[in-house]
Amino acid sequence: TPSFTVALAMALQVLRALAHLHTMGVLHCDLKPANMLFKEEGEGAARTMRVVLADLGAAGIVDTATGTVPKAT
């Protein structure tokens, strides 16, 4: 189980990734732990956990004219 500090850092990575997608007009639409990939990087005291969002198959592109995400057909 990660410490509070590590868990907070991981949550911030997820939020930054979502913010990046949103600035590009993309909504993930299926955010859950199974769609987050976790990788340990570094060694010893410099060890960190990297989080990458995956499975953008349900993602939607925001229609800038209406501010909505059209449903896939």
Side-chain angles (χ1 to χ4, degrees):
T1 305
S3 69
F4 176 77
T5 304
V6 171
L8 181 60
M10 291 166 56
L12 286 173
Q13 287 182 57
V14 171
L15 292 173
R16 286 184 185 122
L18 287 173
H20 179 71
L21 287 173
H22 293 173
T23 62
M24 298 174 62
V26 177
L27 298 180
H28 191 284
C29 298
D30 193 23
L31 187 64
K32 59 188 174 188
N35 290 336
M36 296 176 202
L37 305 178
F38 303 93
K39 180 181 178 187
E40 286 188 64
E41 296 181 333
E43 296 181 22
R47 192 175 70 180
T48 59
M49 184 70 74
R50 181 181 178 116
V51 184
V52 177
L53 295 184
D55 192 4
L56 292 162
I61 305 296
V62 176
D63 179 341
T64 55
T66 64
T68 62
V69 178
K71 293 199 177 227
T73 56

